[in-house]
């Protein structure tokens, strides 16, 4: 688990039936490294930078926001966080297609300039 640090953290918990939903939320990820010169623990920017191999990060990355779902009877938990979600984004191929893109391309078969998406594609606006 990453160190929460000095930025204020808001926490909320609600119970719905046999489930508890716990939310932790705070500010967006800083846009540059804030490590001390000889820091033993890297800042979150450095953790994301070394972990993710995306051509571009989302414009706003809420690096410390966490949703924890707990089944009260069994104690089983599911925790959702930004870093784990971004690790699942395809970083090698352009797999995002806008709705109706195949129909649009089909009508423009003779135009070779529009068949390929430029790389790296900024998927954050899709």
């Amino acid at each position: 688990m990453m160190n929460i640090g000095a930025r204020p953290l808001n926490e909320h918990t609600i119970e719905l039936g046999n489930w508890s939903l716990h939310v932790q939320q705070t500010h967006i990820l800083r846009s540059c490294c804030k490590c001390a010169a000889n820091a033993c623990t890297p800042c979150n920017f450095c953790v994301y930078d070394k972990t993710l191999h995306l051509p571009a990060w989302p414009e706003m990355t809420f690096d410390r926001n966490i949703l924890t779902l707990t089944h009260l009877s069994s104690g089983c938990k599911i925790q959702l966080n930004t870093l784990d979600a971004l690790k699942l984004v395809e970083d090698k191929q352009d797999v995002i297609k806008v709705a109706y893109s195949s129909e649009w391309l089909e009508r423009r078969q003779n135009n070779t300039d529009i068949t390929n998406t430029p790389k790296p594609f900024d998927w954050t606006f899709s």
Side-chain angles (χ1 to χ4, degrees), residues 3-4 7 12 21 24 27 33 36 41 43 49 54 59 66-67 69 71-72 78 86 88 90 95 111-112 116-117:
N3 182 4
I4 297 299
R7 293 184 283 172
H12 311 283
L21 288 73
Q24 294 177 314
H27 304 286
C33 173
T41 306
C43 68
D49 191 44
L54 300 173
E59 287 291 316
I66 299 170
L67 170 63
L69 307 168
H71 188 253
L72 297 173
I78 299 172
L86 288 174
L88 298 174
E90 173 61 55
V95 294
N111 189 336
T112 58
N116 293 321
T117 304

Coordinates of all heavy atoms in Angstrom, one line a residue, residues 3-4 7 12 21 24 27 33 36 41 43 49 54 59 66-67 69 71-72 78 86 88 90 95 111-112 116-117:
N3 N 2.0 5.1 0.7 CA 1.9 6.1 1.8 C 1.0 7.2 1.4 O 1.1 7.8 0.4 CB 3.3 6.6 2.1 CG 3.3 7.5 3.2 OD1 2.3 7.8 3.9 ND2 4.5 8.1 3.5
I4 N 0.0 7.5 2.2 CA -1.0 8.5 1.9 C -0.4 9.9 2.0 O -0.8 10.8 1.2 CB -2.2 8.4 2.9 CG1 -2.9 7.1 2.8 CG2 -3.1 9.6 2.8 CD1 -3.5 6.9 1.4
R7 N -1.3 15.0 1.9 CA -2.5 15.6 1.3 C -3.7 15.0 2.1 O -3.8 13.9 2.5 CB -2.6 15.1 -0.1 CG -1.5 15.8 -0.9 CD -1.6 15.5 -2.4 NE -1.1 14.2 -2.7 CZ -1.2 13.6 -3.8 NH1 -1.8 14.2 -4.8 NH2 -0.7 12.4 -4.0
H12 N -15.4 7.8 3.4 CA -16.8 7.6 3.6 C -17.1 6.1 3.6 O -16.5 5.4 2.8 CB -17.6 8.2 2.5 CG -17.2 9.6 2.2 ND1 -17.6 10.7 3.0 CD2 -16.5 10.2 1.2 CE1 -17.1 11.8 2.5 NE2 -16.4 11.5 1.4
L21 N -19.3 -0.5 1.8 CA -18.6 0.2 0.7 C -17.8 1.3 1.4 O -18.4 2.2 2.0 CB -19.5 0.8 -0.3 CG -20.2 -0.1 -1.3 CD1 -21.3 -0.9 -0.6 CD2 -20.7 0.6 -2.5
Q24 N -12.0 6.0 -0.2 CA -11.0 6.9 0.2 C -10.7 7.8 -1.0 O -10.5 7.3 -2.1 CB -9.7 6.2 0.6 CG -9.8 5.4 1.8 CD -8.5 4.6 2.1 OE1 -7.9 4.0 1.2 NE2 -8.0 4.6 3.3
H27 N -6.7 14.3 -3.7 CA -6.3 15.1 -4.8 C -5.7 14.2 -6.0 O -5.4 13.0 -5.8 CB -5.3 16.1 -4.5 CG -5.8 17.0 -3.4 ND1 -6.7 18.0 -3.6 CD2 -5.5 17.1 -2.1 CE1 -7.0 18.6 -2.5 NE2 -6.2 18.1 -1.5
C33 N 8.0 14.5 -10.1 CA 8.5 13.8 -9.0 C 8.7 14.7 -7.8 O 9.1 15.9 -7.9 CB 9.9 13.2 -9.4 SG 10.8 12.5 -8.0
A36 N 12.5 13.1 -2.1 CA 13.7 13.8 -1.5 C 14.9 13.3 -2.2 O 14.9 12.2 -2.8 CB 13.7 13.5 0.0
T41 N 11.9 5.7 -0.1 CA 10.6 5.3 -0.6 C 10.2 6.3 -1.7 O 10.3 7.5 -1.5 CB 9.5 5.4 0.5 OG1 9.8 4.7 1.6 CG2 8.1 5.0 -0.1
C43 N 8.2 8.5 -4.5 CA 6.9 9.2 -4.4 C 5.9 8.5 -5.4 O 6.3 7.6 -6.2 CB 7.0 10.7 -4.8 SG 7.5 10.9 -6.6
D49 N 5.3 6.1 -12.8 CA 6.2 6.2 -13.9 C 6.9 4.9 -14.2 O 7.1 4.5 -15.3 CB 7.2 7.4 -13.6 CG 8.0 7.7 -14.9 OD1 7.4 7.8 -16.0 OD2 9.2 7.9 -14.7
L54 N 2.4 3.2 -20.4 CA 1.4 3.8 -21.4 C 2.0 5.0 -22.1 O 2.9 5.7 -21.6 CB 0.2 4.4 -20.6 CG -0.6 3.3 -19.7 CD1 -1.6 4.1 -18.9 CD2 -1.2 2.3 -20.6
E59 N -5.4 12.6 -18.2 CA -5.2 14.0 -17.8 C -5.2 14.2 -16.3 O -4.4 14.9 -15.7 CB -6.3 14.9 -18.4 CG -6.1 15.1 -19.9 CD -4.9 15.9 -20.2 OE1 -4.6 17.0 -19.6 OE2 -4.2 15.6 -21.1
I66 N -9.5 5.0 -3.5 CA -9.6 3.6 -3.3 C -11.1 3.3 -3.0 O -11.7 4.0 -2.1 CB -8.7 3.0 -2.2 CG1 -7.3 3.2 -2.6 CG2 -9.0 1.5 -2.0 CD1 -6.3 3.0 -1.4
L67 N -11.7 2.3 -3.6 CA -13.0 1.8 -3.2 C -12.8 0.4 -2.7 O -12.2 -0.5 -3.4 CB -13.9 1.8 -4.5 CG -15.3 1.1 -4.3 CD1 -16.1 1.8 -3.2 CD2 -16.0 1.0 -5.6
L69 N -14.9 -2.9 -1.3 CA -16.2 -3.5 -1.1 C -15.9 -4.7 -0.1 O -15.1 -5.5 -0.4 CB -16.7 -4.1 -2.4 CG -16.8 -3.0 -3.5 CD1 -17.1 -3.7 -4.8 CD2 -17.9 -2.0 -3.2
H71 N -17.8 -7.9 2.0 CA -19.0 -8.7 2.2 C -18.9 -9.0 3.8 O -18.0 -9.6 4.3 CB -18.9 -10.0 1.4 CG -20.1 -10.8 1.5 ND1 -20.2 -12.0 2.3 CD2 -21.3 -10.6 1.0 CE1 -21.4 -12.5 2.2 NE2 -22.1 -11.7 1.4
L72 N -19.9 -8.4 4.5 CA -19.9 -8.4 5.9 C -19.9 -9.8 6.5 O -19.3 -10.1 7.5 CB -21.0 -7.5 6.5 CG -20.9 -6.1 6.1 CD1 -22.1 -5.3 6.5 CD2 -19.6 -5.4 6.6
I78 N -13.0 -6.7 -1.8 CA -12.5 -6.4 -3.2 C -12.1 -4.9 -3.1 O -12.8 -4.1 -2.6 CB -13.6 -6.5 -4.2 CG1 -14.1 -8.0 -4.3 CG2 -13.1 -6.1 -5.6 CD1 -15.3 -8.2 -5.2
L86 N -5.1 1.0 -14.2 CA -4.3 1.5 -15.3 C -3.3 0.4 -15.8 O -2.9 0.4 -17.0 CB -3.5 2.8 -14.9 CG -4.4 4.0 -14.8 CD1 -3.6 5.2 -14.3 CD2 -5.1 4.3 -16.2
L88 N -4.1 -2.5 -16.4 CA -4.9 -3.3 -17.3 C -5.2 -2.7 -18.6 O -5.7 -3.4 -19.5 CB -6.3 -3.7 -16.6 CG -6.2 -4.4 -15.3 CD1 -7.6 -4.6 -14.7 CD2 -5.6 -5.8 -15.5
E90 N -4.4 -1.7 -22.3 CA -3.6 -2.2 -23.4 C -2.6 -1.1 -23.8 O -3.0 0.0 -24.2 CB -4.5 -2.6 -24.6 CG -3.7 -3.0 -25.8 CD -2.7 -4.2 -25.6 OE1 -3.2 -5.2 -25.1 OE2 -1.5 -4.0 -25.9
V95 N -6.7 -0.7 -29.3 CA -7.8 -1.6 -29.3 C -9.2 -0.8 -29.2 O -10.2 -1.4 -29.2 CB -7.8 -2.6 -28.1 CG1 -6.6 -3.6 -28.3 CG2 -7.7 -1.9 -26.8
N111 N -9.7 5.7 -49.6 CA -8.9 6.7 -49.0 C -7.9 6.0 -48.0 O -8.3 5.6 -46.9 CB -9.7 7.8 -48.2 CG -8.8 8.9 -47.8 OD1 -7.6 8.8 -47.6 ND2 -9.5 10.1 -47.6
T112 N -6.6 5.8 -48.4 CA -5.7 5.1 -47.6 C -5.1 5.9 -46.4 O -4.5 5.4 -45.5 CB -4.5 4.6 -48.4 OG1 -3.9 5.7 -49.1 CG2 -5.0 3.6 -49.5
N116 N -5.4 4.0 -40.7 CA -4.6 3.7 -39.5 C -4.7 4.9 -38.4 O -4.7 6.0 -38.8 CB -3.1 3.5 -39.8 CG -3.0 2.3 -40.6 OD1 -3.6 1.3 -40.4 ND2 -2.1 2.4 -41.6
T117 N -4.8 4.5 -37.2 CA -4.9 5.5 -36.1 C -3.4 5.8 -35.8 O -2.6 5.0 -35.7 CB -5.5 4.8 -34.9 OG1 -6.8 4.4 -35.2 CG2 -5.6 5.9 -33.8

